Amino acid sequence: MKITLNENADVVATVKAGLEKTGGYCPCRVEKTEDTKCMCKEFRDQIKDPDYEGYCHCMLYFKSLQD
Ligand code: SF4
């Protein structure tokens, strides 16, 4: 398993700019809680899920099942 940044640099730049504006909270969510702080709970749970492969909600990160 490995986590990488989206290969699309424009997406990475956009999401990172959003994270800077929110002070590190998920730019695609309204609530600011521990669960929405990047890496958010949703993605942490997806990392733990042995069957999940794909992007986090904002598409900043990609979880690959291969090393
Ligand atoms: S969806 Fe992705 S970018 Fe947004 S908080 Fe979760 S891990 Fe971070």
Side-chain angles (χ1 to χ4, degrees):
M1 194 277 283
K2 73 174 175 195
I3 312 286
T4 51
L5 285 173
N6 192 322
E7 286 176 5
N8 184 324
D10 289 343
V11 173
V12 172
T14 302
V15 178
K16 283 195 168 173
L19 281 165
E20 260 174 47
K21 270 195 204 143
T22 61
Y25 292 94
C26 189
C28 18
R29 291 184 174 91
V30 179
E31 327 85 70
K32 289 187 171 143
T33 68
E34 275 308 303
D35 286 357
T36 65
K37 208 163 196 183
C38 191
M39 294 179 172
C40 60
K41 182 173 188 309
E42 180 184 81
F43 192 50
R44 290 193 308 254
D45 288 345
Q46 287 169 330
I47 290 170
K48 280 187 224 153
D49 177 352
D51 296 324
Y52 182 78
E53 182 168 58
Y55 290 102
C56 70
H57 192 86
C58 295
M59 295 183 73
L60 177 60
Y61 295 112
F62 184 80
K63 176 194 169 191
S64 164
L65 292 176
Q66 309 294 320
D67 287 326

